[in-house]
Amino acid sequence: IVNTADDFELYGLHISPDLDTVMYTLAGIANPATGWGIEGDTRATLDAIARYGDDPWFLVGDQDFATHILRTHALHEGRMLTDVTLRLASSLGVRMPILPMTDDRVATEVRTADGWLAFQDYFVARRHADEVLDVRFAGIDSARPSDRVIMAISEAELILFCPSNPLVSIEPILALSGVRDAIMASPAPVVAVSPIVGGKALKGPADRMLASKGVEVSARGVARYYEGLIDGIVIDAEDAAFADDIRGAGLAVDVRNTIMGGRDDRMRLAREILDVEWVPR
């Protein structure tokens, strides 16, 4: 289940950055150097756009454009984002379902000293350099998760919060009407993987954003952020000193190497987490 609050339009095309990153990664074609986009992709289209005087600030590869064109065309024909995503992923050989959190439009907005910014303006155009004063999700009150999202949660054997930014990657999903209730009603254990290692985010501005919201920037702080919703948390060996405090709050703690340098590390960590006998509280 993937965050879609980062979705936006560029050159009239519907772009779903998080969905595409997950899809390309599971298809084995993601660019390992950047963590997004397609490996070996070219940028002839953006170069041509630049010749017309536009300044491309969001780097889209030529193969990536094909994804956005087909998605936008299908949406204009009235298809739901969930169905479009499943078809695109299947065409790339991805066997497991990738589910957008909703088929409705939700947009993350970040408040800075210059006012409210669209998330991609803050994150990409301004290189997430601004201090974040607040975060909101436009459209969240009227958005609903798809039936497939609720079904996936209710039928899960394990619900895992990946080590993404809690505030802007996980929270939009949790903020959807019915999602928290579905998680709480599920008999499956709910486990988070801390994105904070040694008091820092390994990638992106999660540490600075958590601090701006008054959340302790540590594995313990992440555990407290999800308190009441999770049964356990996976923390890095560097943060083992927090394990007893977290267990004292009634959560199971698994301590291991959570740093992922590539595909093999991702598969290793996934297998290790699945091998733990998690027990719901």
Side-chain angles (χ1 to χ4, degrees):
I1 301 171
V2 182
N3 167 45
T4 58
D6 293 358
D7 289 17
F8 72 113
E9 286 196 0
L10 182 70
Y11 306 122
L13 299 175
H14 183 116
I15 297 182
S16 298
D18 285 7
L19 283 174
D20 291 341
T21 295
V22 172
M23 180 172 70
Y24 296 155
T25 299
L26 292 177
I29 62 174
N31 186 339
T34 61
W36 48 266
I38 297 174
E39 185 174 17
D41 209 351
T42 53
R43 291 180 182 159
T45 303
L46 281 188
D47 290 343
I49 288 173
R51 284 203 299 269
Y52 286 109
D54 196 84
D55 181 18
W57 58 273
F58 192 88
L59 301 181
V60 181
D62 297 323
Q63 295 179 64
D64 213 10
F65 264 114
T67 302
H68 308 323
I69 290 169
L70 290 174
R71 176 190 295 117
T72 305
H73 178 67
L75 293 174
H76 284 172
E77 287 187 333
R79 299 179 189 175
M80 294 293 101
L81 183 60
T82 295
D83 297 329
V84 176
T85 302
L86 291 170
R87 183 175 69 85
L88 291 173
S90 176
S91 298
L92 293 179
V94 179
R95 297 190 304 275
M96 62 289 293
I98 302 171
L99 301 176
M101 69 180 198
T102 181
D103 289 316
D104 301 317
R105 296 303 295 266
V106 177
T108 296
E109 298 175 346
V110 174
R111 185 166 67 87
T112 70
D114 290 335
W116 287 98
L117 301 174
F119 183 75
Q120 298 300 338
D121 288 340
Y122 154 76
F123 190 76
V124 179
R126 298 167 71 117
R127 301 178 184 272
H128 50 78
D130 299 82
E131 179 184 1
V132 175
L133 304 177
D134 201 0
V135 176
R136 67 186 181 190
F137 309 121
I140 196 70
D141 291 340
S142 58
R144 295 294 181 269
S146 69
D147 291 342
R148 291 196 63 148
V149 164
I150 298 300
M151 184 180 300
I153 294 171
S154 65
E155 294 181 350
E157 297 178 13
L158 172 68
I159 298 171
L160 187 68
F161 296 176
C162 293
S164 297
N165 188 320
L167 292 177
V168 294
S169 293
I170 305 296
E171 190 59 39
I173 303 173
L174 299 177
L176 282 168
S177 176
V179 168
R180 282 181 178 268
D181 290 342
I183 293 173
M184 295 296 291
S186 171
V190 182
V191 177
V193 183
S194 175
I196 302 298
V197 176
K200 296 181 180 180
L202 296 178
K203 183 179 179 181
D207 45 4
R208 290 182 284 120
M209 295 184 81
L210 288 170
S212 73
K213 298 290 286 185
V215 178
E216 178 185 332
V217 184
S218 70
R220 179 173 56 196
V222 174
R224 289 173 176 169
Y225 182 83
Y226 291 131
E227 191 172 1
L229 194 59
I230 62 173
D231 303 303
I233 188 168
V234 180
I235 67 175
D236 192 78
E238 186 173 342
D239 296 316
F242 291 115
D244 287 344
D245 278 355
I246 298 171
R247 291 189 183 104
L251 296 177
V253 181
D254 184 62
V255 181
R256 63 182 62 252
N257 175 18
T258 64
I259 298 175
M260 295 172 282
R263 180 176 181 272
D264 289 345
D265 273 344
R266 295 188 191 107
M267 294 179 68
R268 169 195 57 79
L269 182 59
R271 289 194 180 104
E272 290 174 352
I273 293 172
L274 291 174
D275 285 342
V276 176
E277 294 185 10
W278 299 102
V279 179
R281 287 189 291 174

